[in-house]
Amino acid sequence: MPLTIGVLALQGDVREHVRTLTDLGVGATTVRRASELEAVDAIVLPGGESTTMAKLLRTFELLDPLRKRIQGGMPAFGTCAGMILLADHVRDGAEGQETVGGLDVTVRRNAFGRQVDSFETDLPVTGIDAPVHAVFIRAPWVEEVGPGVEVLAEAAGHPVAVRQGHLLATSFHPEVGGDGRVHELFVDLVR
Ligand code: GLN
């Protein structure tokens, strides 16, 4: 059976993820309802605004189904706001900000913002041959990692790409840089 990877399509840079996956020859589809979530093999949580996405996940009654599927082993890849959604703990979150969770990390929201809002850099990433062109936009970084979490890349002395079993997360936006190699890493993990 060919793979179908869903892209959570409540808010954020959904199209960029769908395009990157499609360019890799992977079936990609948008997910807005629980029935659509059931039909995918894996999910991408895009960049955007984590507080808005968390609220919409509640409104669309997707938060609990998504939590259950991730706990059940469905692979997930979060970029930027998506990384925040996957994190078990958030610092500098909005009042009462919920996450999907599953990834045993503490992230700080808008962490680079205090130094520089947005920047691009070529970043060495474990498992990828040559550095990845990484676009950071009001990005979080990771402040604490649990024992099962592998750090794949760092910037400013903090993890910005992590993997824990079936979960992958980056502070930056590989869907924006026109470089499909981080998505390829995710697709390999799904397979
Ligand atoms: N700062 C945003 C948040 O907290 C994330 C920014 C992004 O995804 N580019 O959700």
Side-chain angles (χ1 to χ4, degrees):
M1 278 260 291
L3 281 182
T4 303
I5 298 186
V7 179
L8 183 70
L10 302 177
Q11 193 266 337
D13 63 348
V14 176
R15 251 180 306 173
E16 288 79 355
H17 277 289
V18 170
R19 189 182 311 132
T20 309
L21 290 166
T22 307
D23 286 350
L24 290 173
V26 178
T29 185
T30 53
V31 169
R32 279 189 202 86
R33 321 161 180 269
S35 59
E36 292 166 341
L37 177 63
E38 276 166 32
V40 297
D41 301 299
I43 191 130
V44 172
L45 309 179
E49 178 48 55
S50 59
T51 54
T52 307
M53 271 193 260
K55 281 187 200 144
L56 290 172
L57 280 168
R58 272 270 172 237
T59 308
F60 282 70
E61 297 181 346
L62 267 175
L63 189 57
D64 292 329
L66 192 51
R67 278 183 179 148
K68 281 201 191 100
R69 281 224 54 195
I70 288 176
Q71 280 161 12
M74 176 182 67
F77 175 25
T79 67
C80 200
M83 170 192 258
I84 298 171
L85 286 175
L86 278 182
D88 282 340
H89 306 284
V90 180
R91 292 184 179 143
D92 288 344
E95 181 75 28
Q97 179 169 351
E98 291 187 284
T99 73
V100 177
L103 188 61
D104 186 10
V105 300
T106 300
V107 299
R108 186 175 296 278
R109 236 178 114 224
N110 302 332
F112 293 96
R114 282 168 282 148
Q115 299 164 20
V116 50
D117 241 15
S118 302
F119 62 99
E120 303 185 15
T121 186
D122 291 319
L123 202 66
V125 177
T126 303
I128 298 178
D129 294 350
V132 169
H133 188 69
V135 178
F136 291 80
I137 305 166
R138 291 184 62 72
W141 65 38
V142 178
E143 295 200 337
E144 286 170 29
V145 300
V149 178
E150 186 189 354
V151 174
L152 304 181
E154 291 194 1
H158 290 274
V160 293
V162 293
R163 178 187 170 167
Q164 173 196 321
H166 61 299
L167 304 178
L168 179 68
T170 62
S171 302
F172 54 93
H173 293 272
E175 73 279 17
V176 171
D179 183 335
R181 290 175 299 158
V182 181
H183 287 73
E184 223 171 344
L185 207 66
F186 181 57
V187 173
D188 288 345
L189 185 157
V190 177
R191 288 204 172 106

